[in-house]
Amino acid sequence: QLTTEYLEPVVQYRKELAAQLHILRAHRDTLIRLLKAVRDGHNVEFNDEAVAKVVHEYGEYAEALPYMEEAAQAYVDEDSKARKERELHMDRDSEEDDASLVLCVGAVDIAENELRTVNDDISVLLGWMRDLEGYNRNYHDLAVKGAVVALADFETAREREMSDVSSRHEAANIGELKSKYEEAKPLVDAIAPADESALNSEEENADTDDLEKQVADARSQFWDIQNEKTRLTNEVSNLRELLEEKDLGPHDEFLSLYKQCYSLDTGEYTYEVCLLDRAAQIENKNNARQNLGTFTEFGQNRELNYRNGAKCWNGPERSITVAFECAGVVELVEVKEPEKCEYRAVMTGPFACQLPVSGSEVVDGEAEEHTVKEHVHDEL
């Protein structure tokens, strides 16, 4: 009874997944081939940061999964006729499972798992290829240029092919097929242990299933580590850029507060100041925001100057200057508009406090520039 109701839609669902997998495997192989060509052919003497990063990360991927490059090379070496014959042979092998609902459900499980894996691979590989577009074009690295041009062609072809897949799925009503499979799977799982042939099949394939699980687990661990490594690398890169290129005040005292936002509700408006970043005026009645400017420079006495805000009606561009007073807590305590669309704010914070040196001595004025170097604001 289960076979009568579910076998046909589950078989059709398996065939739809198989057709999609043929296309996605080809996409993955193409991306691997492009990245391999960059790794093997780029000019290392140029020392392009974007290229070096991609080559390093792809190299780790290829080292962890060496058979991927072999499969990609085999894909490149075969002509379209041989590729079609290989895919037909794979389909015929899969059709041997289509006479049994138990085996067909198992085949769908494998196909869905591979589909997730291939899509994950493509996402990462495509991300690396897009990162290459940030290469220094003054270097004229032919391997990198060729890969970037090939990427544009690949994305055009991929968009067309995935559109064809969507059309095919729509015509086959794949949503309904998938729903039928999901109904059948728990029913099959419940009766499969009583089916002697299924038990024998499970025993015969136990080693293969265990190996596939180990591969899947290893792949998952690799991507978890890779994602964490990428996150930390980006964090370090951003921090290095911040320290080298941004003015964070004397002794980088605004480092821990960079882009931290503080607000003050004055009744009609709420003012928001993000340190060394931007400032805004928000109308409480309707949440309309006015740009009060972006941070441009430090002024006298460590004041923060925000300029080039939204233009006032029949007036200047909005701007705000933020002064600081000594306190143990960082907060925005006052905002005034002494001139039309020119605002002044007061914030408090420990970095505005004079720093004691020894006994009753206090660092002040220019002497601070020479003495403070030996002291650190631990509270920041």
Side-chain angles (χ1 to χ4, degrees):
Q1 185 177 356
L2 288 178
T3 298
T4 302
E5 183 175 356
Y6 292 109
L7 181 58
E8 183 178 348
V10 172
V11 167
Q12 187 59 36
Y13 181 50
R14 183 199 63 73
K15 289 181 178 179
E16 291 297 321
L17 296 182
Q20 185 177 0
L21 275 169
H22 288 321
I23 294 171
L24 292 178
R25 290 191 196 105
H27 291 175
R28 179 175 62 186
D29 289 342
T30 300
L31 291 170
I32 288 174
R33 178 177 61 83
L34 293 175
L35 285 161
K36 182 178 183 297
V38 171
R39 183 197 63 191
D40 296 343
H42 77 288
N43 191 330
V44 295
E45 294 182 1
F46 288 152
N47 197 28
D48 187 306
E49 184 177 347
V51 175
K53 179 176 180 290
V54 170
V55 167
H56 176 72
E57 291 179 351
Y58 171 71
E60 290 186 335
Y61 169 87
E63 185 178 349
L65 305 167
Y67 56 87
M68 288 294 196
E69 284 194 346
E70 296 173 7
Q73 188 59 46
Y75 171 78
V76 173
D77 291 343
E78 64 183 0
D79 57 28
S80 58
K81 181 180 178 181
R83 186 175 304 127
K84 190 68 175 176
E85 289 178 355
R86 174 175 56 80
E87 291 175 354
L88 287 173
H89 181 71
M90 293 173 66
D91 290 340
R92 282 194 295 269
D93 286 345
S94 299
E95 287 171 2
E96 295 178 3
D97 296 333
D98 291 349
S100 165
L101 181 60
V102 172
L103 296 179
C104 193
V105 165
V108 170
D109 286 345
I110 293 173
E112 286 194 328
N113 286 333
E114 184 181 358
L115 201 61
R116 284 189 290 269
T117 297
V118 176
N119 276 318
D120 287 345
D121 286 345
I122 290 173
S123 177
V124 174
L125 296 167
L126 195 52
W128 287 331
M129 285 297 299
R130 287 169 178 163
D131 287 344
L132 281 177
E133 294 179 309
Y135 80 102
N136 189 331
R137 297 174 188 271
N138 294 323
Y139 287 152
H140 303 294
D141 192 319
L142 296 181
V144 178
K145 283 186 174 182
V148 171
V149 171
L151 173 63
D153 294 338
F154 167 80
E155 295 205 271
T156 299
R158 173 173 162 80
E159 183 178 355
R160 181 182 65 253
E161 290 173 354
M162 295 311 296
S163 176
D164 291 343
V165 168
S166 296
S167 297
R168 172 174 172 153
H169 283 176
E170 184 176 353
N173 200 354
I174 196 169
E176 184 176 333
L177 298 178
K178 180 178 175 64
S179 178
K180 281 292 187 181
Y181 156 74
E182 291 174 343
E183 289 178 19
K185 180 172 169 50
L187 300 174
V188 168
D189 289 344
I191 66 169
D195 187 329
E196 184 176 349
S197 63
L199 281 173
N200 291 336
S201 177
E202 288 176 7
E203 290 171 1
E204 292 171 2
N205 293 312
D207 292 341
T208 301
D209 291 343
D210 184 59
L211 180 59
E212 289 177 351
K213 184 178 185 304
Q214 291 180 41
V215 171
D217 290 344
R219 186 188 299 274
S220 177
Q221 291 175 20
F222 171 82
W223 289 124
D224 287 345
I225 293 171
Q226 184 73 18
N227 290 337
E228 179 65 10
K229 179 185 175 184
T230 300
R231 184 188 69 79
L232 292 174
T233 299
N234 290 339
E235 191 173 315
V236 170
S237 177
N238 292 338
L239 185 58
R240 181 179 290 114
E241 179 182 353
L242 183 62
L243 289 170
E244 292 176 353
E245 299 182 11
K246 297 289 184 181
D247 185 354
L248 300 172
H251 320 294
D252 294 330
E253 58 193 9
F254 283 97
L255 174 60
S256 64
L257 300 172
Y258 180 63
K259 289 190 176 182
Q260 294 294 312
C261 298
Y262 300 88
S263 59
L264 175 67
D265 187 342
T266 62
E268 184 177 0
Y269 299 104
T270 292
Y271 291 89
E272 181 181 71
V273 173
C274 301
L275 294 175
L276 309 190
D277 186 26
R278 56 183 173 76
Q281 178 194 66
I282 305 161
E283 190 170 351
N284 290 333
K285 182 172 62 176
N286 57 15
N287 286 325
R289 296 177 69 93
Q290 290 288 354
N291 177 16
L292 298 186
T294 55
F295 173 72
T296 55
E297 62 185 355
F298 284 91
Q300 295 181 343
N301 301 318
R302 298 177 177 167
E303 289 182 343
L304 307 183
N305 292 326
Y306 294 74
R307 300 292 182 261
N308 306 315
K311 194 173 189 326
C312 278
W313 171 254
N314 200 27
E317 292 180 339
R318 290 177 171 82
S319 64
I320 185 169
T321 298
V322 182
F324 292 96
E325 295 180 353
C326 175
V329 178
V330 182
E331 58 183 342
L332 179 61
V333 297
E334 181 181 273
V335 178
K336 293 183 178 180
E337 188 180 2
E339 300 290 339
K340 181 178 181 180
C341 296
E342 296 180 2
Y343 300 84
R344 287 195 62 84
V346 176
M347 293 188 66
T348 60
F351 42 79
C353 301
Q354 292 178 320
L355 190 63
V357 179
S358 62
S360 59
E361 293 183 41
V362 172
V363 177
D364 198 6
E366 295 183 0
E368 179 183 5
E369 293 296 319
H370 305 286
T371 313
V372 163
K373 292 179 181 179
E374 301 180 3
H375 300 271
V376 177
H377 287 294
D378 292 331
E379 68 272 21
L380 295 183

